[in-house]
Amino acid sequence: MQLNLKKNSLLYISLGILLFFSFFLYVYTLETYNGIEVFSVYIRQRFGRFYLWLGLLCVLLLIVLAFSSWGKHRLGKTTDRPQFSRLAWISMLYSAGMGAGILLRAVQEPVYMMRNPPINNHADSSTIALEYTFYQWGFTAWAFYAVFAIIVGYYLFVHSKKVVSSSAFSSIENFVSSKKLNDIIFGSIDILAILTTVFGLVAAIGLGTTQIEGGLTHLLQEDFGLTGTILVLLLISVLAFISVFRGVNKGIKVISTWNIYVTIALLLFVFLQSDIISVTSQFITSLYHYIIDFIPLSLAYGLYNPGEAFLTDWTYYYWAFWLAWAPFTGIFIARISKGRTMREVILGVLLIPSLGTFFWFTTFGESAFQIIENLGAYQGQFDNVFSSIFIFFENYPFQGFINTLTILLLISFLVTSLDSAIFVLSMFTDGGKQEPSKKHRLLWSIILTIFSIGIILLGNAKTDINVLIAMQKLLIITSLPFSLLMVVMIFLFIRDYRKNNKLR
């Protein structure tokens, strides 16, 4: 069956833009890299505070929605019930929304924050380190995802709109009389979502495969280099295609559930061999400070202002990254949340993954702090983001087995990020269908694999330029229009929902 050019204009325009960008990336690599660097820094400096306010707005909006009468309304008809069990649902949304990042940063980020405290408010440096790690991986990140999921889910299941980003802006039609102009607006939103998803996946896969290759090199004491990285990428791509080809129930759900079981097992392995009282106490203390300090933290206000340099390098960067992933992750969460109430979706997305992530970072972070204290003189063992967790496990028994398991978990998390992204991209380009055709799944599997290999090859050829970092910073640029669109999206959603539901 051939793809119809007119029917699939969204696909072909997106591919055309990707090819156009690739041309500049390959031919004018240094100029493109410098342009991305300058523009991304400019956006963080000019719009960073806007990101902070938007993040706080999203969290407060979700709390109001969850505990108002709107919270009891379902995403779907009143008779609809959830398609997936709560465990499978949480496993899929967590694997798609966070995944390999918690392995990448489990040790490195808390240690960095402890040794370079962002603020000086006379609290213990370990508590400050974990409080800031919580902040950057917690409620705000998931709030961006949840807002998108709730709004898209509302239009998707209540108003039977297509599974595309522009569905959240469907009421714009009431303000624009020209059908052609509407098509341009909606098409531009969907193309931006596709490009952001592709760039985000390439950056995540590049970082993940680099960590896997680094782990294998550390374990086997042999440098696998470029060949090893590409072979790992091909393995991930094949597994992701098999998963997405089998569908949500038989593929994505199964691997996501495995991810959660192994993650919990790894967490318990470290926790039970650590100072349990110290870890538990630090978790409670850091969580308490994070909650009571949440508003000044969110606005970088007063004592909680770490300075523009830190905000630009860390907080603004994270916020832009989460925003860039919101369209893809939010739509996927909406797709698997049909039949659940708004309250359950909000609390499930906002609280459960955040609390699990907090305990994860506390266990690994506090244990790393104690290892450093016992070392006497810290020599930067945990500074490298790609190898820190493998060096960390050298302080525990069965290090060979645990590090191997960590590599398998990294592969599995990358598979679930890739397969869920392929599924969402396929829904976009297959007319917004909830079950996209398998030819679209195959096509996007091939496109993402080729693009990822191309970026890795380019990064290897241009040894003086970190192409993967450039791809990450490109997300900061593409996230800006989405952050502005999110404000419009929230306004339209509240206005439309009030028309159909009375707030009691």
Side-chain angles (χ1 to χ4, degrees):
M1 185 182 299
Q2 297 294 316
L3 291 170
N4 182 280
L5 178 59
K6 184 176 180 180
K7 183 179 178 181
N8 292 280
S9 57
L10 185 64
L11 171 65
Y12 287 96
I13 292 173
S14 300
L15 290 180
I17 295 174
L18 283 173
L19 288 173
F20 183 74
F21 172 76
S22 299
F23 169 78
F24 279 93
L25 191 60
Y26 276 76
V27 178
Y28 301 104
T29 308
L30 181 60
E31 293 82 358
T32 305
Y33 181 88
N34 290 337
I36 291 172
E37 171 69 21
V38 171
F39 201 14
S40 68
V41 171
Y42 175 83
I43 287 174
R44 280 179 283 175
Q45 290 175 341
R46 296 292 181 179
F47 294 90
R49 293 283 168 171
F50 167 70
Y51 284 168
L52 296 184
W53 279 99
L54 179 60
L56 180 60
L57 170 66
C58 287
V59 173
L60 296 179
L61 172 66
L62 291 171
I63 293 173
V64 171
L65 288 177
F67 293 102
S68 71
S69 61
W70 288 15
K72 66 183 180 182
H73 296 160
R74 294 187 182 277
L75 294 181
K77 300 176 182 177
T78 55
T79 55
D80 287 336
R81 289 298 178 268
Q83 181 181 357
F84 305 100
S85 69
R86 188 168 282 111
L87 176 61
W89 177 64
I90 291 172
S91 299
M92 286 190 286
L93 71 89
Y94 193 82
S95 293
M98 205 63 72
I102 64 169
L103 291 168
L104 197 69
R105 297 286 190 176
V107 175
Q108 183 266 338
E109 186 164 328
V111 169
Y112 178 88
M113 295 296 169
M114 187 266 290
R115 295 184 58 80
N116 305 275
I119 59 173
N120 182 19
N121 64 353
H122 307 295
D124 179 69
S125 61
S126 299
T127 300
I128 293 175
L130 290 171
E131 181 180 1
Y132 261 86
T133 303
F134 289 3
Y135 171 56
Q136 291 171 164
W137 289 81
F139 299 150
T140 310
W142 288 98
F144 290 140
Y145 297 163
V147 165
F148 215 96
I150 287 291
I151 295 176
V152 170
Y154 168 71
Y155 288 106
L156 175 61
F157 299 123
V158 177
H159 291 281
S160 302
K161 298 293 182 180
K162 295 179 180 180
V163 190
V164 287
S165 293
S166 59
S167 292
F169 303 88
S170 57
S171 60
I172 290 178
E173 292 175 335
N174 300 326
F175 299 95
V176 182
S177 57
S178 170
K179 183 180 183 303
K180 185 176 181 179
L181 183 57
N182 271 318
D183 290 341
I184 293 173
I185 293 172
F186 294 151
S188 299
I189 292 171
D190 292 330
I191 289 170
L192 182 62
I194 289 174
L195 296 178
T196 303
T197 300
V198 171
F199 293 142
L201 258 293
V202 169
I205 291 170
L207 287 170
T209 52
T210 301
Q211 188 181 23
I212 292 168
E213 194 273 329
L216 290 171
T217 298
H218 180 77
L219 283 175
L220 304 177
Q221 297 298 305
E222 183 176 346
D223 187 3
F224 292 92
L226 179 63
T227 302
T229 303
I230 292 178
L231 287 175
V232 169
L233 173 58
L234 289 174
L235 173 64
I236 291 168
S237 299
V238 170
L239 292 175
F241 172 67
I242 294 172
S243 172
V244 76
F245 194 80
R246 291 174 61 84
V248 176
N249 275 298
K250 296 181 179 179
I252 298 174
K253 183 181 78 172
V254 173
I255 299 178
S256 297
T257 304
W258 145 269
N259 288 345
I260 294 301
Y261 283 142
V262 176
T263 301
I264 292 173
L266 205 57
L267 175 63
L268 290 175
F269 173 79
V270 176
F271 177 67
L272 293 175
Q273 295 184 80
S274 303
D275 185 335
I276 294 177
I277 295 177
S278 175
V279 171
T280 305
S281 173
Q282 187 62 263
F283 171 72
I284 295 171
T285 302
S286 300
L287 181 61
Y288 168 77
H289 282 282
Y290 170 61
I291 292 173
I292 65 170
D293 298 339
F294 183 75
I295 290 180
L297 268 176
S298 296
L299 299 177
Y301 179 76
L303 291 175
Y304 299 90
N305 183 358
E308 286 299 314
F310 178 90
L311 290 170
T312 299
D313 290 340
W314 287 90
T315 308
Y316 296 164
Y317 175 80
Y318 268 125
W319 268 219
F321 201 88
W322 304 137
L323 279 165
W325 274 63
F328 139 61
T329 308
I331 286 176
F332 182 75
I333 293 173
R335 166 63 179 77
I336 63 175
S337 298
K338 182 180 181 180
R340 297 189 185 276
T341 64
M342 281 194 188
R343 182 173 296 129
E344 183 178 6
V345 173
I346 291 170
L347 296 180
V349 175
L350 198 62
L351 294 182
I352 297 176
S354 295
L355 292 174
T357 300
F358 296 163
F359 193 69
W360 170 275
F361 277 113
T362 304
T363 301
F364 281 83
E366 182 66 16
S367 299
F369 300 158
Q370 292 174 7
I371 291 172
I372 290 174
E373 185 177 346
N374 293 333
L375 287 174
Y378 179 63
Q379 301 295 326
Q381 291 89 334
F382 302 136
D383 289 354
N384 189 311
V385 69
F386 298 115
S387 61
S388 58
I389 194 168
F390 301 110
I391 295 173
F392 172 82
F393 281 129
E394 290 180 353
N395 296 275
Y396 291 85
F398 314 112
Q399 59 173 286
F401 172 76
I402 295 301
N403 275 329
T404 301
L405 188 64
T406 302
I407 290 174
L408 292 175
L409 184 58
L410 270 168
I411 293 173
S412 185
F413 266 131
L414 288 174
V415 168
T416 49
S417 292
L418 184 55
D419 61 14
S420 51
I422 291 170
F423 196 83
V424 169
L425 289 168
S426 300
M427 288 192 291
F428 282 170
T429 58
D430 195 19
K433 296 177 183 176
Q434 294 186 39
E435 287 294 333
S437 69
K438 291 182 177 179
K439 68 174 182 287
H440 278 266
R441 304 181 204 186
L442 173 62
L443 181 63
W444 277 111
S445 299
I446 294 172
I447 291 170
L448 289 173
T449 300
I450 293 174
F451 200 67
S452 298
I453 290 175
I455 293 299
I456 289 174
L457 288 171
L458 181 63
N460 185 74
K462 307 286 186 178
T463 54
D464 57 329
I465 299 174
N466 195 321
V467 178
L468 285 176
I469 290 180
M471 295 301 294
Q472 293 177 75
K473 291 181 178 179
L474 188 62
L475 287 178
I476 295 171
I477 298 172
T478 59
S479 71
L480 177 61
F482 261 114
S483 66
L484 299 172
L485 286 171
M486 187 171 280
V487 177
V488 178
M489 183 177 69
I490 291 171
F491 169 78
L492 293 175
F493 167 71
I494 293 174
R495 193 204 62 162
D496 292 348
Y497 208 90
R498 288 186 65 184
K499 284 184 178 180
N500 297 292
N501 302 274
K502 290 184 178 180
L503 183 61
R504 290 174 294 186

